[in-house]
Amino acid sequence: MALLPVLCYPDPRLHKVAKPVTQVDARIKKIVADMADTMYDAPGVGLAATQVDIHERIVVIDVSENQNELMVFINPELIWASPEKKAWREGCLSVPEYYDEVERPDHIRVKALDINGKEFEIEADGLLSVCLQHEMDHLQGKVFVEYLSILKRNRISLKMKKRAKELAGQR
């Protein structure tokens, strides 16, 4: 398995809309394995393929306490969202070291394919609900900071550009 480089906001590739996976084959399974390794190494609780510059509808999530319950969502689709909303403090591997409150539906139902290409549905609330919505936003080319005010977005963008220059200077 390989660790994949994670794109950082405001990289324009984060705004690409992911294409559906047409067949769950060995190539997709390798992408999933590499994404899982990357997510666990970060460490994070979720990763969308868009974040590693693969523009296919693939998400990996593990919100378990021991990070040993990997969930794979291929071509995830939101099929229901509760009218009740809840604010959660979110972070993102593509926006390192930044966290802010985002309001999202509290409960959702998602349909997807698993690692074997079998369709399933899952109802989610709490952290899993937030994580699924956050990662599915990535597949639509949306980063969580876009829910924030323009002032906060601009400040984050400048901070991330400065950070990228500092990291480039260290190489």
Side-chain angles (χ1 to χ4, degrees):
M1 306 308 144
L3 295 181
L4 305 169
V6 177
L7 301 176
C8 283
Y9 182 81
D11 191 308
R13 294 171 289 179
L14 287 168
H15 297 292
K16 277 188 174 179
V17 175
K19 304 249 186 287
V21 171
T22 55
Q23 182 180 0
V24 179
D25 54 16
R27 182 184 70 83
I28 295 298
K29 289 179 181 182
K30 178 167 180 5
I31 290 170
V32 166
D34 291 346
M35 286 176 60
D37 286 347
T38 303
M39 176 188 72
Y40 288 129
D41 183 70
V45 295
L47 186 68
T50 301
Q51 293 176 269
V52 291
D53 205 20
I54 297 170
H55 302 283
E56 296 182 74
R57 295 185 58 79
I58 305 168
V59 166
V60 295
I61 291 175
D62 189 340
V63 294
S64 67
E65 199 169 306
N66 296 322
Q67 293 253 284
N68 61 354
E69 296 176 25
L70 182 68
M71 301 174 82
V72 176
F73 299 85
I74 298 170
N75 296 336
E77 180 185 333
L78 184 68
I79 56 176
W80 176 82
S82 69
E84 302 84 34
K85 301 207 183 288
K86 187 169 182 180
W88 282 76
R89 189 164 169 81
E90 293 188 29
C92 182
L93 298 180
S94 292
V95 191
E97 301 168 13
Y98 187 83
Y99 302 86
D100 212 324
E101 297 276 320
V102 176
E103 190 174 87
R104 297 182 184 273
D106 194 25
H107 293 78
I108 61 169
R109 187 176 305 121
V110 170
K111 177 172 71 172
L113 301 177
D114 67 14
I115 189 68
N116 297 309
K118 185 174 185 288
E119 188 174 289
F120 71 97
E121 284 188 19
I122 187 170
E123 286 198 25
D125 62 1
L127 181 58
L128 179 57
S129 171
V130 171
C131 196
L132 268 166
Q133 292 175 77
H134 177 111
E135 301 309 335
M136 290 189 332
D137 276 352
H138 278 298
L139 300 179
Q140 297 299 325
K142 189 169 187 173
V143 181
F144 92 98
V145 296
E146 291 164 26
Y147 286 98
L148 308 177
S149 71
I150 190 75
L151 181 67
K152 282 185 178 180
R153 272 199 314 267
N154 287 340
R155 196 169 60 227
I156 294 164
S157 182
L158 288 171
K159 200 182 276 188
M160 292 297 115
K161 286 176 183 174
K162 181 180 176 188
R163 183 178 184 273
K165 282 182 186 173
E166 288 169 357
L167 289 173
Q170 291 174 2
R171 291 182 193 157

